[in-house]
Amino acid sequence: MPTKSIDRLLFAQGGRCFFCQRTLSPGEASVEHLVATANGGRNDPDNTVACCKALNALLGHMTLKEKLRVVLNQKGEFHCPNGGAGTVASKVTRPQTGAQRIALVVANLQKRGTARPLVRSRP
Ligand SMILES: [Zn+2]
């Protein structure tokens, strides 16, 4: 079982940001206190979530009510202000046209560079 609170929170959240669902490495994650410690929030699992550092900085010392307003204003299209990949919803959206699919495949191949797909010998 992870021992650091950030690791425990990330584990409990499936390795994803609490707000935008982006996959977070421990280095990208930070502990957000839903009720800020300055407002009497406790430093325990009921009051803490792991989220993108950029979002944590934005939420800063907002009250819980203000934070909820920020999240609700996104209307289910929440994006952390880090310019990274978006929500789960946008990830599961499939490209509509063949050209878009091909562009995705080409981009993926370019990302792989000289790496080759694993070729399994036939039985
Ligand atoms: Zn996030």
Side-chain angles (χ1 to χ4, degrees):
M1 194 64 193
T3 50
K4 279 167 64 184
S5 64
I6 186 77
D7 293 334
R8 281 201 304 270
L9 289 167
L10 271 178
F11 179 80
Q13 294 168 205
R16 292 173 181 276
C17 171
F18 183 81
F19 294 96
C20 75
Q21 303 285 302
R22 177 171 173 255
T23 301
L24 281 179
S25 71
E28 298 170 307
S30 61
V31 176
E32 157 72 8
H33 292 78
L34 295 174
V35 177
T37 49
N39 298 333
R42 287 182 304 167
N43 188 27
D44 68 23
D46 285 339
N47 188 46
T48 49
V49 298
C51 73
C52 299
K53 279 181 177 168
L55 180 65
N56 199 344
L58 174 81
L59 296 179
H61 292 298
M62 287 183 192
T63 64
L64 184 57
K65 178 177 174 180
E66 289 169 323
K67 289 172 187 176
L68 280 175
R69 191 70 257 166
V70 168
V71 171
L72 290 171
N73 281 346
Q74 311 297 312
K75 302 189 192 324
E77 296 287 325
F78 195 91
H79 294 270
C80 280
N82 55 14
T87 63
V88 164
S90 68
K91 277 180 190 157
V92 296
T93 303
R94 296 280 176 252
Q96 296 303 307
T97 68
Q100 283 173 312
R101 287 202 188 99
I102 291 167
L104 270 187
V105 170
V106 170
N108 182 270
L109 286 174
Q110 285 170 342
K111 201 165 58 183
R112 288 165 192 249
T114 56
R116 293 283 175 262
L118 181 65
V119 179
R120 295 179 197 283
S121 56
R122 290 166 189 275

